[in-house]
Amino acid sequence: MNHEINPIVYILIERTERELDSKLLVALFLLKKGFHVVLGHQWALAANRDCWPAGVFFFKSMNKIHTQWMAKVRQFGHIAVALEEELLDECISSPNVHGFFDDVYSNDASCYCQLLLAKHEFEVRMIKQIMPELTVRLTGNPRTDFLRQELVASYDLEREGISKAISSRFVLINTNTAHINSNLSADQILELYKKATLGGSSIGEREWIKRHNERMDVLLKWEKYNLKSICRLVELFGRNGFNQKVIIRPHPSESLDIYTRLSNKYRYVEVANNQESARPWILASDILIHTGCTTGSEAVAMGHPTISIQEKGSEHIQFQASNNVSYLTHDAEEAYQAVQDFYAGKLKLGDNAKLKKLWPAQDGKFAAERIADEIHNSYLNLGGEVNDFELVLSGKFKQVRLTDFYKTKMFVELSQVEQILRQIYQQLPDMLQIKLYEISRNVFYMRPS
């Protein structure tokens, strides 16, 4: 079946707090190139693949779930490009035992994805080994654009609100024990891994389960040490007369219960909402403590004081940027002392020179603009033209029922999108003016003004 390719890009989003602002920035640069953009809830965009005009589907992942969708959208004449949102922090040298890239990148990707936009050099090297036939372009990840000085002020309003509501001075602890303290059951996690990886693997289910269990054993051991360290650190703050606020902000996939019970033991310890962006919380804090979390790298990129706790000899120190660019400690006692040294003026933190070598697009063109450039080039190379365009659906728009699972990932009002766009325009006043429409809950249409 032949389809005319149209100058429209469908940007799929899974998690609001992690992707919405950066994908809106990508959309603005695409509009500057002459594209129209539909942006929103990935399930809704994929479900309507048959009635959207043929254009560019911009996927946010390369796992089996998304490569299945790529195959389906290709049947209706769409171009499939992707940016893998996961593993932004894993950009140095991944040990084989974790099989990170085997789990995240489906072998089917090279069959259906026409362009991968790589977030760092390590990803480029790995993809060339795994799928040498896949076209890859190094752009950086637009999530890092809002860490740059040109855009970081976008978080000022939220940061000020946190300072007024919580405290003008506090220590922030970001946790990432999303497997041993998940919102989901162990069986649910296993099923998600199977859906995302097993179908795209070259090995059988028995061998996959064996490898999965080996990887999970290593991961759970790491998370148990991290959780133990956090609990001990909070105890040190609570019992040693540390009279400033300590805020625990769990990973969005974690249950709050264990941290709420822990905070109830101490007067100055609280648990923050974990369904919003971590960045205003980081900026509102005096110092961030993490256990090998991407937010550690994000803090360093913003020039914010940051401490990591990692067990001595942990292989996560080898490949995670956050553990290489943060001030590294090996247990709760060391981290507690480092905080005291920081407040005493003995510890200077926040140099991001090393991180700039690991994450591209920290200066010069934004990653979002580089992505728009590469999508535009790919579109033209595949026969597309930038011309007059009107969005007309060939069938009735299919509404996707928003379950609680979907709502925790993306549940956005038009006003929230408008607010983020206003913040971007305040920092980048030369951006193209656009018209914004709401197609349905969580799905928005952007066109040149």
Side-chain angles (χ1 to χ4, degrees):
M1 185 183 300
N2 293 322
H3 298 266
E4 179 185 353
I5 307 172
N6 298 285
I8 183 165
V9 181
Y10 306 101
I11 301 180
L12 284 70
I13 294 176
E14 180 184 8
R15 299 202 72 100
T16 302
E17 85 286 344
R18 183 167 65 180
E19 302 173 58
L20 182 58
D21 53 4
S22 62
K23 295 295 174 60
L24 283 169
L25 184 62
V26 172
L28 290 177
F29 278 112
L30 285 167
L31 287 156
K32 199 172 181 180
K33 288 284 186 181
F35 289 101
H36 291 224
V37 173
V38 174
L39 171 149
H41 190 262
Q42 62 180 2
W43 294 275
L45 268 62
N48 286 281
R49 59 190 176 274
D50 58 336
C51 59
W52 297 123
V56 181
F57 258 74
F58 182 20
F59 288 89
K60 53 80 60 188
S61 183
M62 295 282 283
N63 65 33
K64 181 61 180 178
I65 295 171
H66 290 83
T67 54
Q68 288 176 335
W69 288 350
M70 289 177 196
K72 292 174 182 178
V73 304
R74 289 286 301 275
Q75 292 174 357
F76 294 92
H78 300 290
I79 297 170
V81 303
L83 172 82
E84 179 49 63
E85 286 287 351
E86 300 295 339
L87 309 181
L88 177 60
D89 199 40
E90 287 77 9
C91 57
I92 301 175
S93 179
S94 174
N96 291 331
V97 68
H98 285 271
F100 277 122
F101 284 80
D102 287 341
D103 278 352
V104 173
Y105 298 89
S106 167
N107 291 334
D108 293 339
S110 60
C111 300
Y112 307 117
C113 183
Q114 287 144 293
L115 174 66
L116 172 64
L117 303 164
K119 54 189 171 285
H120 43 60
E121 288 279 5
F122 180 57
E123 183 175 41
V124 174
R125 294 197 302 272
M126 290 298 296
I127 291 301
K128 285 182 177 178
Q129 294 177 31
I130 299 170
M131 291 175 279
E133 65 277 20
L134 179 60
T135 301
V136 183
R137 296 287 184 267
L138 178 63
T139 59
N141 190 306
R143 285 166 57 189
T144 69
D145 288 342
F146 282 81
L147 306 172
R148 290 173 46 160
Q149 290 305 305
E150 300 98 321
L151 284 169
V152 73
S154 301
Y155 301 113
D156 281 353
L157 189 63
E158 293 168 277
R159 174 185 58 78
E160 291 167 3
I162 292 168
S163 295
K164 290 178 181 178
I166 304 296
S167 172
S168 59
R169 303 195 69 186
F170 63 88
V171 173
L172 178 65
I173 301 175
N174 279 353
T175 72
N176 60 336
T177 54
H179 288 84
I180 63 171
N181 184 41
S182 177
N183 285 321
L184 304 175
S185 68
D187 287 342
Q188 288 174 316
I189 293 174
L190 179 60
E191 285 306 308
L192 284 175
Y193 269 107
K194 281 185 176 181
K195 288 179 181 179
T197 66
L198 179 56
S201 174
S202 60
I203 61 176
E205 182 171 0
R206 182 177 296 180
E207 179 63 22
W208 180 89
I209 291 175
K210 178 184 176 183
R211 292 187 187 182
H212 174 77
N213 289 339
E214 290 174 352
R215 293 166 188 164
M216 290 302 295
D217 285 345
V218 174
L219 181 60
L220 295 179
K221 179 183 177 183
W222 178 65
E223 288 195 1
K224 286 175 182 177
Y225 185 86
N226 292 344
L227 181 58
K228 179 181 177 181
S229 298
I230 293 302
C231 292
R232 174 59 178 156
L233 180 63
V234 171
E235 180 185 6
L236 289 171
F237 283 132
R239 292 186 176 180
N240 291 342
F242 189 82
N243 294 330
Q244 285 179 226
K245 284 278 188 184
V246 174
I247 303 294
I248 305 171
R249 187 185 180 281
H251 186 280
S253 297
E254 285 191 75
S255 168
L256 301 181
D257 293 348
I258 188 170
Y259 301 114
T260 300
R261 292 197 301 271
L262 182 63
S263 68
N264 287 339
K265 296 180 181 180
Y266 306 108
R267 180 180 177 185
Y268 294 106
V269 180
E270 295 183 11
V271 178
N273 183 326
N274 65 343
Q275 296 303 313
E276 300 170 355
S277 173
R279 293 173 181 182
W281 288 93
I282 294 171
L283 293 168
S285 71
D286 291 341
I287 187 169
L288 168 67
I289 303 171
H290 65 90
T291 52
C293 179
T294 304
T295 57
S297 294
E298 292 178 326
V300 172
M302 295 186 289
H304 197 78
T306 311
I307 294 171
S308 174
I309 307 176
Q310 288 293 283
E311 186 176 13
K312 279 186 179 179
S314 170
E315 56 196 11
H316 287 259
I317 298 172
Q318 301 171 29
F319 66 91
Q320 286 185 305
S322 56
N323 294 324
N324 283 267
V325 301
S326 304
Y327 182 83
L328 186 63
T329 63
H330 296 296
D331 55 38
E333 284 73 17
E334 283 187 24
Y336 180 79
Q337 185 57 52
V339 172
Q340 311 312 308
D341 291 343
F342 166 75
Y343 279 117
K346 300 176 183 178
L347 202 60
K348 303 296 181 184
L349 307 171
D351 180 12
N352 67 359
K354 188 171 184 180
L355 186 60
K356 285 185 175 182
K357 297 178 181 179
L358 300 171
W359 283 357
Q362 294 301 288
D363 43 40
K365 276 189 175 183
F366 289 107
E369 184 173 7
R370 300 179 192 203
I371 287 169
D373 289 345
E374 294 296 345
I375 290 177
H376 181 250
N377 291 339
S378 179
Y379 173 77
L380 294 179
N381 289 337
L382 291 168
E385 296 181 0
V386 177
N387 48 32
D388 290 339
F389 173 78
E390 182 179 354
L391 177 61
V392 178
L393 276 64
S394 61
K396 184 178 179 181
F397 183 87
K398 293 179 278 295
Q399 299 284 349
V400 174
R401 187 173 69 87
L402 295 176
T403 64
D404 289 341
F405 175 77
Y406 288 158
K407 288 177 182 178
T408 60
K409 290 177 176 286
M410 186 172 181
F411 197 58
V412 178
E413 301 281 359
L414 179 64
S415 59
Q416 186 177 348
V417 175
E418 292 172 331
Q419 174 61 25
I420 295 173
L421 288 172
R422 281 194 294 270
Q423 292 170 334
I424 293 174
Y425 280 117
Q426 287 174 6
Q427 308 308 316
L428 303 175
D430 293 335
M431 294 301 293
L432 183 73
Q433 294 298 312
I434 60 110
K435 290 186 178 179
L436 173 68
Y437 308 90
E438 185 175 34
I439 294 177
S440 73
R441 186 62 182 265
N442 282 336
V443 178
F444 308 94
Y445 172 45
M446 304 167 69
R447 59 180 294 268
S449 179

